[in-house]
Amino acid sequence: MGKVVITKHPLIQHKLALLRDKNTGSKDFRVMVGEMAMLMCFEAMRDLPLVEIEVETPLTITNTRVISGTKIAFVPILRAGLGMIDGVLNLVPSARVGHIGLYRDPDSLQPVDYYCKLPIDVSERDVIVLDPMLATGGSAIDAISRIKEHAPKSIKFIGIIAAPEGLQALEEAHPDVDVFLASLDEKLDEHGYIVPGLGDAGDRIFGTK
Ligand code: PRP
Ligand code: URA
């Protein structure tokens, strides 16, 4: 089974409270989704391998450690995952970015694919999939299946809120994928929305409702 990490860091929990608040407007919502993505990416990259190198400081020569040999590709799921991309690129500016376009059919709740463009060398990269909401899990499962067709070195998923049903479905479909979240909420409602959740993430980021 992949790991599931629910980050309780006070900065993340504070920003999550502001995201949940229906009175938070699009501009602040967008800024905080980006900030949370950066903080969660920090957590997801805890296991990056380090190698020892020698550097000359102004005073002496010393051994120190740097990240080496890790090539990252971030893959936001459109649209809401786009809100996370600037934050994670602030941490890893050399990463490549792929895009997967999916939306949930409002009646069947099944994901509908409309776009997929991944970095050409994705098979040499560790992929981090970004989507703030894991509701039924259908979108993340589908996106990860499509990415796996290109055989990347590893895949992690960074979200913000998950429903228990979605997390379970994702773990069953892709047990090799580590999942990083800020909250595991109570349930899905009859329309497939996460409760208490934060509403429709794409609409709140882009102000489309
Ligand atoms: C939202 C969200 C996820 C998906 C989660 O996207 O950003 O991609 O729903 O639901 P699931 O786990 O049940 O698949 P939506 O379909 O609303 O598309 P949008 O981001 O373009 O608005
Ligand atoms: N997608 C969202 O944006 N929010 C939900 O609560 C469920 C799916």
Side-chain angles (χ1 to χ4, degrees), residues 104 133 135 192-194 199-202:
R104 277 199 323 180
M133 308 306 276
Y193 276 90
I194 302 174
D200 187 306

Side-chain angles (χ1 to χ4, degrees), residues 48-53 55 64-69:
L48 286 191
L50 293 168
V51 293
E52 202 144 294
I53 59 160
V55 296
T64 186
R65 296 191 301 163
V66 292
I67 296 167
S68 166

Side-chain angles (χ1 to χ4, degrees), residues 77-81 102-104 109 111 114 131-140 192 200-203:
I77 301 179
L78 309 183
R79 291 175 302 163
L102 295 172
Y103 69 88
R104 277 199 323 180
L109 300 183
Y114 60 88
D131 192 332
M133 308 306 276
L134 185 66
T136 64
S139 303
D200 187 306
D203 284 338

Side-chain angles (χ1 to χ4, degrees), residues 61-118:
I61 291 175
T62 188
N63 286 338
T64 186
R65 296 191 301 163
V66 292
I67 296 167
S68 166
T70 304
K71 297 206 284 183
I72 303 287
F74 292 116
V75 181
I77 301 179
L78 309 183
R79 291 175 302 163
L82 280 182
M84 301 171 79
I85 196 69
D86 287 351
V88 296
L89 283 175
N90 279 336
L91 274 192
V92 193
S94 63
R96 299 289 192 264
V97 181
H99 295 85
I100 292 201
L102 295 172
Y103 69 88
R104 277 199 323 180
D105 179 272
D107 299 319
S108 70
L109 300 183
Q110 292 305 304
V112 181
D113 300 27
Y114 60 88
Y115 191 73
C116 179
K117 182 84 178 173
L118 299 175

Side-chain angles (χ1 to χ4, degrees), residues 138-161:
S139 303
I141 290 169
D142 205 66
I144 291 169
S145 297
R146 298 207 61 180
I147 294 166
K148 280 187 174 174
E149 290 167 13
H150 301 265
K153 288 174 72 179
S154 71
I155 304 181
K156 292 176 179 170
F157 177 87
I158 301 182
I160 293 181
I161 300 180

